[in-house]
Amino acid sequence: EDQVTQSPEALRLQEGESSSLNCSYTVSGLRGLFWYRQDPGKGPEFLFTLYSAGEEKEKERLKATLTKKESFLHITAPKPEDSATYLCAVQANDYKLSFGAGTTVTVRA
Amino acid sequence: DAEITQSPRHKITETGRQVTLACHQTWNHNNMFWYRQDLGHGLRLIHYSYGVQDTNKGEVSDGYSVSRSNTEDLPLTLESAASSQTSVYFCASSASSYNEQFFGPGTRLTVL
């Protein structure tokens, strides 16, 4: 069974304090790893897809990286508007997504 | 602009009642999905469809059903609502199995 574990569950940062979120996974044949952002009361918003180990993608203050066992979402010099829950999901050979429980990030000004 | 909408946004019902949640997308996507999200759990797949007349069970399908009569809509029906089905429900769609999924705003369902 595919498993996705995100850590930490919650992360409190000062504005400008860079940090990383972890997504570790076990999957039978990784097709892709997806990162989403979710604001309170809203649906997840797509951020990145990573397909192979060594791949990196960036968007503004966010950078996602992928190894054979885990992915990291790096937040550089975060701002209060980066506060959200970040979800990781893996897509296996059956093309279905398995989601982690998420990391809730709070950035204080 | 293309979008995916869900209705109602909030619903309170009683145990044993039939409930239908609507999902409508204007992306013209073939694939549509229903998930539930509960505290401490990730999004869990309920049912999904890869096209008109196609429906498949996800990991938590017991007590739920879907039907796909056109490309735009995938309604989710709870045949006899139970308190364990109190949750936030999200609909999603994607152009193909390889593409990212786009999510609707969610429906918060409370079963009393």
Side-chain angles (χ1 to χ4, degrees), chain A residues 31-90:
Chain A
R31 291 279 179 183
L33 186 140
F34 297 77
W35 281 99
Y36 286 84
R37 169 192 171 123
Q38 186 175 22
D39 293 305
K42 296 190 175 182
E45 175 187 344
F46 171 73
L47 292 173
F48 306 108
T49 309
L50 302 166
Y51 293 103
S52 57
E55 189 175 0
E56 298 182 352
K57 288 196 177 171
E58 286 188 69
K59 180 180 181 180
E60 296 181 355
R61 295 174 293 282
L62 301 177
K63 184 168 86 171
T65 62
L66 181 65
T67 72
K68 288 186 178 180
K69 293 183 178 181
E70 58 192 349
S71 176
F72 293 93
L73 184 66
H74 307 278
I75 309 178
T76 302
K79 297 182 178 181
E81 53 261 44
D82 294 322
S83 297
T85 296
Y86 292 87
L87 303 174
C88 165
V90 295

Side-chain angles (χ1 to χ4, degrees), chain B:
Chain B
D1 285 347
E3 61 177 354
I4 181 166
T5 57
Q6 294 184 236
S7 61
R9 294 295 314 278
H10 301 272
K11 174 78 176 178
I12 299 175
T13 190
E14 295 178 344
T15 301
R17 290 190 180 266
Q18 184 182 78
V19 177
T20 296
L21 308 182
C23 174
H24 179 80
Q25 54 97 2
T26 58
W27 295 96
N28 199 34
H29 285 166
N30 286 325
N31 300 349
M32 295 185 72
F33 309 83
W34 274 104
Y35 295 88
R36 61 178 287 173
Q37 187 175 42
D38 304 288
L39 201 61
H41 291 275
L43 288 154
R44 291 183 289 174
L45 184 63
I46 305 171
H47 281 286
Y48 58 104
S49 168
Y50 288 149
V52 176
Q53 302 300 331
D54 176 74
T55 60
N56 305 280
K57 294 181 179 180
E59 82 180 278
V60 290
S61 60
D62 287 349
Y64 304 94
S65 64
V66 293
S67 62
R68 186 95 179 266
S69 59
N70 59 51
T71 300
E72 295 80 16
D73 300 288
L74 186 70
L76 177 71
T77 297
L78 287 68
E79 301 294 343
S80 177
S83 57
S84 59
Q85 294 177 309
T86 292
S87 186
V88 181
Y89 292 85
F90 289 99
C91 179
S93 71
S94 68
S96 76
S97 297
Y98 299 97
N99 294 101
E100 64 273 16
Q101 295 179 17
F102 293 94
F103 284 80
T107 293
R108 182 174 295 277
L109 176 68
T110 303
V111 183
L112 300 175

